Amino acid sequence: MRNNSFGDNFTITTWGESHGKALGVVIDGVPAGLNLTEDDIQSFLDRRRPGKSKYSTPRNEGDKAIILSGTFDDTTTGCPVSVMIENENQKSRDYSNIANVYRPGHADFTYEEKFGTRDYRGGGRSSGRETASRVIGGAVASKILNELGIEINCYTKSIGKYAITDSKDIHLDEMDNPLNMPNDMVAVQAMDYIDECMKNNDSVGGVVECVIRNTPVGVGEPAFNKLDANLAKAMLSIGAVKGFEMGDGFGVARARGSDNNDEMSYDRGVLFHSNHSGGVLGGISTGQDIVFRVAIKPTPSIGRTQHTIDTYNDEIDINITGRHDPVIVPRAVVVVESMAAITLLDLLMDNMTSRMDYLKKIYNGS
């Protein structure tokens, strides 16, 4: 199996399976001199950790971060940073009844066709548990970005039809709810809807929005390493994500150029009058807020009877048991944030070589 790495300058390589002994990540490109402790990483993992509410899988993993290499006296050395978390609460027997069944909405069929084998216990590498490794990488990337004054805020924008439709109604101080939704009133409506779906042995999807503030102008390349293109790849590499849009997104298809263009003026600096582009023009950051959204599908493992086939091509009906999230969206928020941090930091590092004056500042201090 190839392609387990992401990034060119700040590179994460994830490893491990859902029901293996452990999983983790090796991070290349972490600068020496960064203060980094297991607590820094743990705060991110705790946001993703299962078993925190009735809206997440009851699989109760501690997800304790163990730094194996790359630090000395809580400071990075410039060597690869390797971090592991142990799987402690696997229940492989939950999957024994579907060992020879292709679950609807899962990667069972495509995985087995590609490799000729598969780990039926939770999906192996195609499991959502793989994202824990990404969150570790995101925790490190975010700490570096914080030292550069760059802020990333991700949150649940909608669950099913219940959405925060106006940006003025986004209140980050109201995110202390099980859905990570920054509007208490909409969150209550969404939770009632999820409760109804759970009673009917069903699941629900939603949208995560991400806003990145204080990114300097000039991050991203004009051709194949566009900032928006790399963000799209990062987000669509998350198993549950089925859609990506920046700025006005698919709304631009209904707009006119006179409405969609972000006009500019100058007053001791360039001022944009709007941000329909989502903070990226020509693949390069404008200095405005970077705004994008991802659509996350409903959890495919549901208790309802579903029609499928088995490995012998016999048609059967199944009811999936085990421990599954009725909604993936709340736990996906920190995964989206992590992949955004990794992508942005990777291109920020790339940008240091784009101009001679940047190199002079680094090596000559001028």
Side-chain angles (χ1 to χ4, degrees):
M1 182 184 296
R2 302 176 60 250
N3 298 310
N4 293 288
S5 300
F6 182 88
D8 296 320
N9 305 286
F10 184 90
T11 307
I12 64 166
T13 301
T14 69
W15 56 269
E17 298 85 41
S18 173
H19 284 239
K21 292 184 178 180
L23 48 83
V25 62
V26 177
I27 313 169
D28 278 322
V30 181
L34 175 71
N35 180 257
L36 182 68
T37 68
E38 290 172 348
D39 287 341
D40 295 322
I41 297 168
Q42 196 62 52
S43 64
F44 269 62
L45 284 172
D46 286 347
R47 291 167 57 195
R48 184 208 163 277
R49 186 169 60 83
K52 294 177 64 177
S53 80
K54 67 177 180 178
Y55 301 118
S56 71
T57 169
R59 176 175 175 173
N60 192 13
E61 293 283 2
D63 282 357
K64 296 299 182 184
I66 304 170
I67 297 178
L68 301 176
S69 68
T71 64
F72 179 72
D73 285 342
D74 295 335
T75 303
T76 56
T77 62
C79 297
V81 174
S82 183
V83 184
M84 177 185 76
I85 59 175
E86 294 178 320
N87 286 326
E88 300 171 331
N89 194 228
Q90 316 99 305
K91 291 186 178 179
S92 299
R93 63 181 180 274
D94 287 347
Y95 297 89
S96 58
N97 64 322
I98 56 171
N100 297 311
V101 176
Y102 297 134
R103 296 169 296 171
H106 283 273
D108 297 344
F109 170 70
T110 52
Y111 199 110
E112 188 158 325
E113 284 292 301
K114 179 176 177 65
F115 295 108
T117 184
R118 66 182 170 94
D119 184 346
Y120 63 83
R121 304 165 305 164
R125 283 292 284 167
S126 62
S127 168
R129 184 143 176 77
E130 181 268 341
T131 61
S133 301
R134 300 168 184 239
V135 169
I136 295 170
V140 178
S142 292
K143 180 143 196 186
I144 297 173
L145 292 177
N146 287 340
E147 296 208 5
L148 299 176
I150 295 172
E151 175 188 342
I152 303 179
N153 289 307
C154 290
Y155 43 82
T156 299
K157 186 176 177 67
S158 70
I159 297 289
K161 66 179 181 179
Y162 298 97
I164 306 172
T165 57
D166 195 319
S167 60
K168 298 192 297 292
D169 295 327
I170 293 173
H171 309 296
L172 296 179
D173 60 343
E174 295 184 15
M175 280 185 62
D176 189 21
N177 57 67
L179 302 186
N180 290 321
M181 180 176 275
N183 184 297
D184 287 337
M185 184 178 70
V186 181
V188 169
Q189 295 172 332
M191 285 188 281
D192 288 342
Y193 175 57
I194 300 169
D195 287 338
E196 179 184 341
C197 290
M198 291 172 67
K199 289 177 183 177
N200 293 318
N201 292 320
D202 217 338
S203 61
V204 62
V207 172
V208 172
E209 185 168 75
C210 186
V211 180
I212 307 174
R213 295 185 171 89
N214 303 324
T215 301
V217 182
V219 179
E221 301 297 324
F224 297 112
N225 262 4
K226 287 180 168 69
L227 174 55
D228 45 358
N230 282 17
L231 282 170
K233 179 179 180 180
M235 298 307 142
L236 290 167
S237 74
I238 301 169
V241 173
K242 301 303 291 185
F244 173 86
E245 63 174 9
M246 289 210 64
D248 286 357
F250 282 89
V252 302
R254 302 186 298 271
R256 295 174 297 179
S258 56
D259 302 320
N260 184 246
N261 292 338
D262 296 317
E263 295 184 343
M264 294 177 283
S265 59
Y266 189 88
D267 181 13
R268 291 174 293 181
V270 175
L271 301 174
F272 286 88
H273 297 183
S274 57
N275 191 17
H276 300 294
S277 70
V280 179
L281 289 170
I284 302 169
S285 61
T286 65
Q288 296 174 276
D289 289 351
I290 296 169
V291 183
F292 67 85
R293 287 166 295 281
V294 297
I296 296 176
K297 71 178 184 179
T299 314
S301 290
I302 58 176
R304 284 192 174 191
T305 300
Q306 299 179 88
H307 194 69
T308 187
I309 62 172
D310 60 21
T311 55
Y312 310 105
N313 294 326
D314 294 324
E315 296 189 27
I316 60 171
D317 291 327
I318 64 166
N319 291 84
I320 298 176
T321 58
R323 302 165 297 171
H324 307 285
D325 301 78
V327 57
I328 303 171
V329 182
R331 292 176 59 213
V333 168
V334 69
V335 182
V336 170
E337 181 180 326
S338 295
M339 291 305 294
I342 292 165
T343 304
L344 182 59
L345 178 58
D346 187 51
L347 287 176
L348 272 166
M349 290 179 168
D350 205 42
N351 199 45
M352 292 189 296
T353 62
S354 63
R355 291 168 50 164
M356 276 302 302
D357 52 332
Y358 292 170
L359 288 172
K360 288 180 180 179
K361 285 180 182 179
I362 294 171
Y363 291 106
N364 296 341
S366 59

